[in-house]
Amino acid sequence: MTQLQAPQLVVNSRMLYFGWVPADPDAVAALVPAGLKPMANRQVFMNQYVVDSPEQTSGFGAYSLTYIGPDLEDAYAPDGVTPGRWWTHYFNSSAVVRDYASARGVPASVGTTTIEIHGKKLTATTTSDGVPVIRTTVRVGHKLGETARGQLRYLTEVGGDFVAGNYPFISEPVADFEVEKLEFLDKTHSVYALRPANPLEITWGFYAPRASFAYPGGETVLS
């Protein structure tokens, strides 16, 4: 029987989260295991975020993370609209978080994420084992928009079982937001399969200087 782990709480992370249509839909579909179904357009999600201090977590400590993968059909979040999600890569700076995530089937590996803002230009850079692999350039304002809240759903595989986790969140996104450039920097890295189409087609997204969530909220072993 799959062992479920205790939840953790993270508050006020700096978070850039968005989705896009990929350059190679077949390569994305090939990353989804049998029994799950990618979206018709094979859209990809990515979350680049930073937790700056240990006081922002219930036990993780400070860390940075980029995770990425395909959105899923027929595995929707509790709102019945937001797609479920399948992680293919999970670049995390903390051994504590990597161990926690790995125990629930997440493909956690060593990596760092930085988010820098100069004026209205935000640059988020993800490294894998010290090598830059993804860089996002975004135009952001400073005025906050409407607070977003709800639950997301991520699926993993543990001991031959698919496990669905619901992740409640509250985020305070900026009102002015546009992804200008998304670069996959290393053609030899496996994450390159998820690169965006040209021209860039963003399907949704936000930047929130304060985003909070339970990690994970509730989990269910799927039969």
Side-chain angles (χ1 to χ4, degrees), residues 64 88 131 147 154 193:
S64 65
T88 61
V131 178
T147 297
Y154 298 93

Side-chain angles (χ1 to χ4, degrees), residues 28-167:
V28 173
L31 295 172
V32 178
L36 301 178
K37 182 181 178 182
M39 301 289 287
N41 66 353
R42 306 305 193 247
Q43 69 187 41
V44 175
F45 67 87
M46 181 173 68
N47 192 345
Q48 295 172 291
Y49 74 85
V50 177
V51 180
D52 292 293
S53 71
E55 290 77 16
Q56 292 172 244
T57 77
S58 59
F60 278 162
Y63 69 98
S64 65
L65 170 61
T66 294
Y67 62 69
I68 184 171
D71 280 342
L72 302 174
E73 291 269 20
D74 302 329
Y76 291 95
D79 63 7
V81 176
T82 306
R85 290 173 177 153
W86 176 260
W87 284 298
T88 61
H89 298 78
Y90 186 99
F91 305 110
N92 197 289
S93 66
S94 166
V96 172
V97 182
R98 291 196 302 270
D99 289 347
Y100 177 92
S102 295
R104 55 176 29 87
V106 179
S109 63
V110 177
T112 61
T113 300
T114 60
I115 295 177
E116 300 177 341
I117 299 178
H118 300 284
K120 290 191 173 183
K121 179 182 178 180
L122 180 154
T123 304
T125 304
T126 299
T127 69
S128 173
D129 284 321
V131 178
V133 291
I134 304 171
R135 182 169 58 232
T136 312
T137 305
V138 184
R139 177 178 54 80
V140 295
H142 301 290
K143 182 179 179 181
L144 296 180
E146 294 185 8
T147 297
R149 53 193 179 271
Q151 296 190 31
L152 300 177
R153 194 182 202 206
Y154 298 93
L155 279 74
T156 60
E157 188 173 359
V158 183
D161 297 317
F162 286 125
V163 178
N166 293 333
Y167 292 64

